[in-house]
Amino acid sequence: MGSENVILKNFDKKNKNTTETKILARNITRTFTVRDSEKRGFKKFTAIKDINLEVSSGEFITIVGPSGCGKSTFLDILSGLSKPTSGELYIDGKLVTGPALDRGMVLQGYGLFPWRNVRKNIEYGLELKKIPKKDRREISQKYIELVGLNGFEDRYIHEISGGMKQRVAIARSLAYNPEILLMDEPFAAVDAQTRETMQEELLKIWEKTSKTIIFITHSIDEAVFLADRVVVLSSNPGAVKEIIDVNLPRPRKLGEIKNTPRFNDLSHRVWKLLHGINDENITNTATASL
């Protein structure tokens, strides 16, 4: 690529205008050196290989794939916590060389500080940015209200539920105003009812903030419900198998959309990709059984 600061654009046919490319991953490969127990030495293990992905500003992307296919490895590279063995990653046309405050992360394990109350957890990133105390309080209150934690500001982490902990983690990531939100199975640890509530709450937050979101999940329904596009990865090494345009109307309510033909067709398509099934295989199997 010529200049690292080149302005990257793509044409949005639906809106008939240009939208900025926020994230551009080019041929991202990550290889690790691991212990070879059989030969009592070391060997190379490729977690992801030649991943290419272009994400527009404000887009909601979900990533699904078999366990161990490198989804979290790719997210670590997006965050800047890990570097690709080969390939390049650009954000706003600039080569990513490490972590930065333009990206926020929300993990499955919450990553909250038990010695801080809800408000102080949310204000942590603001403290790192040297935001004055008065301003920190105003900003944290805004996000406390946004994620529905009014009345719980002074509670400590052990005093709130799993769903509330995840709300704190989301609010903390949003409070210092990153442009990109990276989410690694954030709702996996909560019960099914809370998970559905959190999915709808996340969409409301996304619609209000216009953040670019990359969301990893093992749930096919969750991937389809949330996303503008679903990226399906293959098994090791992880590579992009297919990118599916969801094209479901927004705003979305899970109860209204989950049983629609379009939602079911999309979910089934993702399921077939994950299980290596295509229409030709189904036809051949049916014919052989006759």
Side-chain angles (χ1 to χ4, degrees), residues 123-173:
E123 291 180 357
Y124 179 70
L126 300 172
E127 293 174 17
L128 294 181
K129 291 181 74 172
K130 310 292 186 184
I131 303 296
K133 186 175 181 179
K134 180 183 177 182
D135 294 337
R136 290 202 305 266
R137 187 172 183 85
E138 290 179 2
I139 295 169
S140 64
Q141 188 60 40
K142 171 185 173 182
Y143 288 99
I144 284 167
E145 293 173 4
L146 184 65
V147 301
L149 285 172
N150 283 322
F152 294 90
E153 299 92 331
D154 298 324
R155 298 279 185 94
Y156 284 87
I157 302 308
H158 70 276
E159 298 175 318
I160 59 178
S161 68
M164 287 182 178
K165 290 174 185 175
Q166 202 56 273
R167 290 170 188 261
V168 176
I170 293 170
R172 182 177 63 181
S173 293

